Amino acid sequence: MIKALKSDEVVDKVGGRFKLAVLVQKRLVDVTFGAPLLVERGNMTLMEAVVQEVLEGKITLEPRAATPDPLGADEGADQEAGD
């Protein structure tokens, strides 16, 4: 088991266990498809290296920009407010 995952430091750095899981998963996919690691891997596993990137603040989870509702559900609320 990765020692860093036993402490809350890495969880608090990202903002929660779910966010940490998403960040690590996305980063593992990126690295698997050729993105370079941002830390020296040495004898660490790929997972350990990604967690080290999180601990060092080299990767973060950026929120997605708000996108308009494709079904137009937001438009009805605007029209009702204008009446």
Side-chain angles (χ1 to χ4, degrees):
M1 176 129 200
I2 300 172
K3 290 180 184 180
L5 293 177
K6 291 182 180 179
S7 76
D8 288 333
E9 178 187 0
V10 70
V11 174
D12 293 340
K13 192 163 196 81
V14 177
R17 292 191 188 283
F18 179 75
K19 289 180 181 179
L20 175 62
V22 170
L23 176 60
V24 168
Q25 183 270 335
K26 286 178 180 253
R27 182 65 178 143
L28 282 170
V29 169
D30 289 346
V31 172
T32 300
F33 283 98
L37 284 169
L38 304 175
V39 297
E40 286 295 320
R41 185 169 175 185
N43 63 350
M44 291 188 280
T45 66
L46 194 53
M47 176 77 140
E48 290 171 328
V50 169
V51 171
Q52 188 62 38
E53 288 181 339
V54 174
L55 283 170
E56 292 182 15
K58 296 188 176 193
I59 58 171
T60 58
L61 188 62
E62 298 293 327
R64 273 201 282 179
T67 56
D69 185 356
L71 302 176
D74 293 337
E75 293 174 11
D78 291 341
Q79 290 176 357
E80 290 176 18
D83 289 334

